[in-house]
Amino acid sequence: MLRKTYAAVDLECIAHNIRELKRAAGTQVMAVVKANAYGHGMKQVVAKAEQEGVSWFAVATADEAVELRETCDKHILLLSSAEDEETVNALTEAGISQCVYTIQQLKLLYRICEANGKQARIHMKIDTGMNRIGLRTDAELIALLEFLKKQSRIELEGVFTHFASADEADKCFTREQLERFKHALQIIRDYGFAPLCHASNSAATIEIPEAHFDLCRMGISMYGYAPSKEVKTGQLNLKPALSLISHITYVKTIEAGDSVSYGRKFIANQKEQIATVAIGYADGYMRALSGKAEAELGSYRIRNIGRICMDQSMFLITGTGAQIGDEVRLIGSNITAENLADLVGTISYEVLTNLSARVPRVYLHA
């Protein structure tokens, strides 16, 4: 690592959060590791989760699923659908549990299984109000169940839904979704199926025990963050696992009237010391943070000034005694991804997943 800008991921924090969430769930848990484990590193997070007894993992893309299968022999669920023959065939060959919610998807999967003498496992997605993907009517559900009853290649391994607003204080709509899901489950059971049922995301795992069913999905909370400020974590002690670290590459003194960076958005009122730090928006340190973010420099909090550039950012360091080579923490113990998210009107998920591939991940307690 020649450029000393990196994300330090403490895998013991991941392990700790899994233990906390298992305690809250009281069921099996599924680790959601899509988007490179929310920016933390998929394979490393999965390895640590396996050490903690996790045997279910969820991803969002077929490429993620096939990549994870190279190092993980546990249950892997693709949360989105596969629409083309090449992708479905690759997932079937890799033994990935596939998300299905249309009769066309089911028939394609069956045709591929028949042609290759394969078995497949599916999780049926019920749309209870998210209106993204999933079965929306009883008639759609029954059509799939009728098809499944007449064949032996495809196992209905699971059924699931996703809550649209479980991370809000008002749980009324979430409870409506829960009732719709229970209605679908009754139809499925009346047809003689007994799939694994899962509905709880991080928010529902923490706050809605009646939605836990057989398995709870650990998303943002596994990485140490509450899903929102409206979710009360109670006795859960979640620990953010990722720190974003860079270093000072240049120190200079500017005079009153001097400007800093593109657009001259910062103009000094007096003589100041400025540090250039080797991180920018191409690393995922968002340009929208310009002039708003702070960072940690030892015991000091230093303020970003001027516009964040593609590869570099400038900070005000007057009175700190900072020097070239000093470490700067952009995300750490006192400045979290949630803090940065608040500054630009987004969520911790986006801050974490924005960290680009050119920022190496360095692992602690692997």
Side-chain angles (χ1 to χ4, degrees), residues 59 61-67 69 76-78 80-99 109 112 119-121:
V59 295
T61 72
D63 290 305
E64 290 175 337
V66 173
E67 178 187 352
R69 176 57 79 215
I76 300 173
L77 170 63
L78 176 62
S80 59
S81 62
E83 305 292 344
D84 64 278
E85 188 165 335
E86 179 185 6
T87 303
V88 173
N89 188 63
L91 293 168
T92 305
E93 286 289 333
I96 306 298
S97 298
Q98 298 178 52
C99 169
L109 178 58
I112 288 171
Q119 301 293 123
R121 298 184 299 273

Side-chain angles (χ1 to χ4, degrees), residues 253-274:
T253 299
I254 62 173
E255 302 295 333
D258 286 345
S259 60
V260 176
S261 197
Y262 293 112
R264 305 186 70 235
K265 297 301 181 183
F266 175 86
I267 299 176
N269 293 320
Q270 60 186 18
K271 181 183 286 189
E272 300 280 14
Q273 271 204 312
I274 306 299

Side-chain angles (χ1 to χ4, degrees), residues 260-320:
V260 176
S261 197
Y262 293 112
R264 305 186 70 235
K265 297 301 181 183
F266 175 86
I267 299 176
N269 293 320
Q270 60 186 18
K271 181 183 286 189
E272 300 280 14
Q273 271 204 312
I274 306 299
T276 301
V277 177
I279 193 164
Y281 59 78
D283 301 299
Y285 193 62
M286 293 183 286
R287 190 171 183 265
L289 291 167
S290 297
K292 300 175 183 178
E294 292 185 329
E296 296 176 82
L297 173 68
S299 61
Y300 293 98
R301 293 281 285 263
I302 57 174
R303 181 167 63 91
N304 176 263
I305 57 172
R307 282 183 173 155
I308 293 168
C309 306
M310 184 179 288
D311 315 298
Q312 301 173 95
S313 303
M314 278 65 78
F315 288 82
L316 192 63
I317 58 166
T318 304
T320 66

Side-chain angles (χ1 to χ4, degrees), residues 66-180:
V66 173
E67 178 187 352
L68 182 55
R69 176 57 79 215
E70 294 173 1
T71 55
C72 175
D73 62 359
K74 303 297 192 297
H75 298 282
I76 300 173
L77 170 63
L78 176 62
L79 293 170
S80 59
S81 62
E83 305 292 344
D84 64 278
E85 188 165 335
E86 179 185 6
T87 303
V88 173
N89 188 63
L91 293 168
T92 305
E93 286 289 333
I96 306 298
S97 298
Q98 298 178 52
C99 169
V100 167
Y101 50 87
T102 72
I103 193 67
Q104 292 81 10
Q105 293 166 342
L106 192 58
K107 288 180 177 179
L108 173 60
L109 178 58
Y110 177 74
R111 188 171 74 247
I112 288 171
C113 288
E114 274 286 286
N116 297 295
K118 296 287 186 180
Q119 301 293 123
R121 298 184 299 273
I122 66 168
H123 286 228
M124 197 179 286
K125 178 68 177 284
I126 309 297
D127 183 359
T128 56
M130 182 75 174
N131 281 318
R132 187 167 59 181
I133 59 172
L135 292 153
R136 300 186 68 241
T137 68
D138 290 356
E140 291 172 342
L141 174 59
I142 289 168
L144 266 68
L145 295 172
E146 290 283 358
F147 187 91
L148 286 169
K149 275 184 65 176
K150 297 172 183 176
Q151 56 78 53
S152 58
R153 291 283 182 190
I154 302 170
E155 174 192 353
L156 180 56
E157 181 180 55
V159 59
F160 70 113
T161 193
H162 189 64
F163 295 133
S165 56
D167 60 349
E168 296 178 2
D170 184 348
K171 298 291 192 285
C172 289
F173 187 68
T174 302
R175 297 191 192 284
E176 285 182 30
Q177 285 191 267
L178 184 56
E179 290 308 309
R180 293 171 191 164

